[in-house]
Amino acid sequence: MGVKGLQSFISNACPGVCTAVNLKDMAEKHRSSFPGSIPVIVVDAMSCLRWWYTPESWVCGGQWREYLSNLERFINAFKAAGIRLVFYFDGLVEQKKRKEWIKRRLNNNKEIARVFQFIKTYQQQPGRGMFFIPSGLATFTRHALKALGQEVASSLREADYEVASYGLRHNCMGILGEDTDYLIYDTSPYFSISKLHLGRLETVMFSRQDLCSRLDLHVTDLPLFACLLGTDIVPEKAMEGFRKQCLSSYHGQNQGSDKRTTIILAVASCISRIPRSYNSLTDRLPLGTDKSVLCRGIESYLLPGQQSPWLPCDFSQGCIQQDVPLCLDQEIFQIAQDRHVRSEVSHSIYSVLSHGEDEGSNTLEDESDTELPGQALIYRPARQHIYYVLLESVKDVHGECPPVKEWFVYPGNSLQHPDMVQPKQLPGNMFRIREAVSLQFLNLTPAQMDIYVLVPVCSMYAGGTPSLRTLWLGRGPEADQQRRCAFLACFQLQDIAEELQALEASVAAACSLLLYLVLQVDSLSLEDLTAFIAQTLCLEGKSATQLANLQVQT
């Protein structure tokens, strides 16, 4: 995330770029400069998750009410200062960043392995120094913020680009996050979430103008500067030859400082001496340098309407090819895209409909525990049914849906290539779930199971899987019933729709999850099931403060 080494350079060798600011005062100045406007800060939510999630017992997770309380306190602090917040989340992993995504996921696996090793060695969870974001926190945070009345968006491309674009387009007061890319984009001022003192609304603002002054660069030089140092799109090794050239000709005053600082200053010095044109730049690049990668990297920092002197004249943002979506029903695809942007649905839906891919990041799982399968594999059967519902309209002449490329992290998966997962038709309505559950926990024999009489509840499947048009656009009780049955069928629970419908929605959701786990995980014990049920039923009505004081039993 961000430019390689730039954050430490700013902190250690370029402190003038950082200025302590009071956001309440800045909001007042913004209102004075733009009468009638409301100061807006666009929030890079993914950068903020670790600062919002503060419980000490982070390995166990589950402090939902505490977390909600933290988010509400965060929102209210800005609201009291008359500042409106707009939250952006990552919505898709762009293909040009897939390699970097894989690299980070594999590094995360190593961090998680150290967490479990610490627990086994010391019989306690590690402190915040080894903190890893709990599974699913980003997804839950989207819904929490929407429930708290906030404007929430999921990106259609890299989130930092859309954050920067939104800030520029809406003349925002600033961007709140923790990513040096916001110094490179020519957009609103960039504020640090890690330096934020919520009670006083004070933080650090990073000035790209002061950075340019320190490096003797123009703002339009910053995208090239970033790419020569290494970004998510331009690998650090790709420009290693050019950096060596810069070092060999650099004779600055800071040569006695650390190596990274010297490299950054040498690269900046070299750029400042090159006439601002693509041809002048390419004349300086070593033989074998991939110019197309460099151009794509520079282009990735250009917001709508912006240009760079370092790109060829015939290069334009409009030349980027737009993929044809897998879903051919334009109305349905537009609905999916709109709901994705508004963070109303899982990112997977739009990803599958647009280009037939899905991904899942790291979770806190012990790779050495072979008894418990990875969650990505546990939920794959449900995903296969969901894929079939999503892609039902693009079946081939043999009635088969195209396979979905899955980039899911689980023990043993090196992510060298995606898993090609075949969508599966929804199951029939005579699935004997009662048998499966009872055999596992009540030790009943198949003969004793004859007492169970299953009533077909979701008979609609006799006509095949319902289409997205039916599920999304249908109205009335029958459409509601189809949606409910399709959901349950994806988790192979369609034969107990009546029983689940009689429960409160939150309890029905928990029961659906637990029944699915019982069917998929052979090693799940009765004690595990009891613990899940207790958490669902016994914590209702307790305040965030009460829950925060609960002690973890070891």
Side-chain angles (χ1 to χ4, degrees):
M1 180 181 292
V3 184
K4 303 293 188 292
L6 186 56
Q7 185 65 58
S8 58
F9 169 77
I10 291 170
S11 302
N12 301 322
C14 203
V17 174
C18 313
T19 306
V21 295
N22 182 285
L23 297 178
K24 185 174 181 180
D25 292 343
M26 290 195 69
E28 290 295 337
K29 292 177 182 177
H30 191 277
R31 275 188 284 266
S32 298
S33 300
F34 306 98
S37 68
I38 299 174
V40 175
I41 291 180
V42 56
V43 182
D44 180 348
M46 299 300 288
S47 295
C48 298
L49 292 179
R50 64 178 57 247
W51 312 109
W52 291 332
Y53 189 87
T54 58
E56 290 298 318
S57 300
W58 58 269
V59 172
C60 298
Q63 300 91 342
W64 179 239
R65 206 155 286 169
E66 288 178 66
Y67 187 58
L68 273 176
S69 179
N70 287 348
L71 290 176
E72 193 166 17
R73 187 164 55 251
F74 180 87
I75 292 164
N76 288 339
F78 286 89
K79 188 176 181 180
I83 300 171
R84 184 168 71 91
L85 301 176
V86 176
F87 298 86
Y88 262 88
F89 288 82
D90 284 327
L92 290 176
V93 177
E94 295 184 86
Q95 292 307 309
K96 59 187 177 183
K97 292 197 173 185
R98 180 62 72 186
K99 287 184 179 179
E100 186 65 25
W101 184 90
I102 292 171
K103 180 181 175 181
R104 288 179 182 159
R105 302 293 82 74
L106 296 177
N107 286 336
N108 288 346
N109 280 343
K110 296 175 184 177
E111 291 182 33
I112 292 171
R114 286 194 288 269
V115 169
F116 281 101
Q117 187 57 50
F118 184 98
I119 294 172
K120 293 172 185 176
T121 302
Y122 299 102
Q123 300 299 301
Q124 63 182 22
Q125 73 159 15
R128 292 283 295 192
M130 297 179 71
F131 177 75
F132 193 87
I133 294 174
S135 309
L137 189 63
T139 299
F140 297 143
T141 304
R142 286 174 168 89
H143 298 297
L145 291 170
K146 289 178 74 69
L148 293 170
Q150 298 305 292
E151 184 176 344
V152 182
S154 295
S155 65
L156 291 172
R157 55 181 298 177
E158 192 69 17
D160 56 12
Y161 179 91
E162 294 200 16
V163 167
S165 181
Y166 186 97
L168 180 65
R169 187 168 68 253
H170 295 278
N171 190 32
C172 289
M173 172 182 145
I175 292 168
L176 183 64
E178 204 68 24
D179 187 339
T180 50
D181 277 337
Y182 295 124
L183 266 175
I184 306 302
Y185 289 109
D186 188 5
T187 182
S188 306
Y190 161 39
F191 306 126
S192 168
I193 180 64
S194 67
K195 303 295 183 183
L196 176 66
H197 187 289
L198 191 62
R200 300 193 299 264
L201 274 188
E202 292 177 350
T203 187
V204 166
M205 180 176 72
F206 297 96
S207 169
R208 65 182 62 86
Q209 285 74 23
D210 289 343
L211 177 63
C212 288
S213 178
R214 173 70 175 85
L215 299 175
D216 193 24
L217 298 175
H218 291 93
V219 171
T220 55
D221 297 332
L222 290 179
L224 171 63
F225 169 70
C227 293
L228 293 175
L229 292 176
T231 68
D232 288 352
I233 295 175
V234 184
E236 193 173 3
K237 288 184 177 180
M239 296 297 139
E240 188 174 11
F242 183 83
R243 290 194 300 275
K244 287 180 178 179
Q245 283 185 4
C246 296
L247 280 170
S248 66
S249 61
Y250 179 63
H251 304 289
Q253 297 177 351
N254 292 78
Q255 284 200 318
S257 58
D258 68 275
K259 182 180 178 182
R260 192 65 193 177
T261 295
T262 303
I263 290 173
I264 289 174
L265 292 172
V267 169
S269 175
C270 188
I271 293 173
S272 67
R273 298 194 306 270
I274 303 174
R276 287 183 176 82
S277 73
Y278 175 72
N279 290 335
S280 299
L281 172 63
T282 55
D283 287 343
R284 305 291 182 93
L285 294 176
L287 290 174
T289 301
D290 191 337
K291 300 179 184 67
S292 63
V293 169
L294 182 59
C295 287
R296 288 199 302 271
I298 294 171
E299 183 273 336
S300 71
Y301 285 110
L302 301 182
L303 303 178
Q306 295 179 349
Q307 295 181 334
S308 170
W310 302 107
L311 290 176
C313 296
D314 58 352
F315 188 95
S316 68
Q317 291 169 290
C319 71
I320 304 299
Q321 184 178 355
Q322 298 295 320
D323 293 332
V324 177
L326 193 58
C327 175
L328 300 179
D329 187 327
Q330 288 303 306
E331 182 183 8
I332 289 298
F333 183 72
Q334 189 61 53
I335 291 172
Q337 181 172 294
D338 292 344
R339 290 180 177 178
H340 169 86
V341 170
R342 294 195 300 266
S343 292
E344 295 176 353
V345 296
S346 164
H347 70 86
S348 297
I349 291 178
Y350 178 72
S351 182
V352 170
L353 289 176
S354 59
H355 53 280
E357 284 196 354
D358 196 7
E359 69 255 346
S361 190
N362 306 79
T363 51
L364 283 169
E365 297 178 317
D366 185 1
E367 281 202 351
S368 64
D369 183 359
T370 56
E371 185 181 2
L372 189 65
Q375 63 86 19
L377 299 179
I378 291 173
Y379 292 106
R380 177 173 284 175
R383 292 198 303 275
Q384 288 178 281
H385 293 314
I386 294 170
Y387 296 154
Y388 192 92
V389 174
L390 293 174
L391 300 176
E392 194 268 345
S393 64
V394 292
K395 292 185 296 187
D396 61 20
V397 292
H398 304 292
E400 295 288 332
C401 294
V404 173
K405 297 177 182 178
E406 280 199 345
W407 298 95
F408 275 78
V409 181
Y410 57 84
N413 186 10
S414 64
L415 297 172
Q416 294 290 321
H417 48 75
D419 294 333
M420 303 302 291
V421 177
Q422 188 63 44
K424 287 189 177 180
Q425 190 168 3
L426 297 184
N429 46 343
M430 293 303 291
F431 183 80
R432 300 180 69 86
I433 173 144
R434 293 183 181 84
E435 292 187 23
V437 175
S438 298
L439 282 170
Q440 184 163 356
F441 291 119
L442 303 182
N443 296 317
L444 298 182
T445 66
Q448 292 171 310
M449 290 305 301
D450 289 339
I451 63 173
Y452 290 96
V453 179
L454 303 183
V455 180
V457 176
C458 299
S459 56
M460 66 178 188
Y461 292 114
T465 301
S467 68
L468 284 183
R469 183 169 287 275
T470 298
L471 294 173
W472 288 0
L473 302 180
R475 296 291 182 266
E478 184 178 348
D480 290 341
Q481 177 72 353
Q482 283 188 316
R483 282 188 280 271
R484 186 162 42 248
C485 289
F487 166 78
L488 293 175
C490 287
F491 293 91
Q492 302 179 3
L493 304 175
Q494 66 283 354
D495 73 297
I496 57 169
E498 241 176 33
E499 291 93 326
L500 290 172
Q501 191 172 349
L503 302 174
E504 291 183 20
S506 59
V507 177
C511 288
S512 298
L513 172 64
L514 294 179
L515 287 167
Y516 180 82
L517 289 176
V518 167
L519 295 171
Q520 297 295 329
V521 184
D522 293 336
S523 57
L524 193 72
S525 68
L526 185 58
E527 289 76 18
D528 294 326
L529 190 62
T530 302
F532 278 123
I533 294 173
Q535 185 173 346
T536 302
L537 300 178
C538 300
L539 301 183
E540 188 68 30
K542 292 188 181 294
S543 68
T545 304
Q546 288 174 310
L547 294 174
N549 292 327
L550 288 177
Q551 297 297 311
V552 178
Q553 303 249 336
T554 56

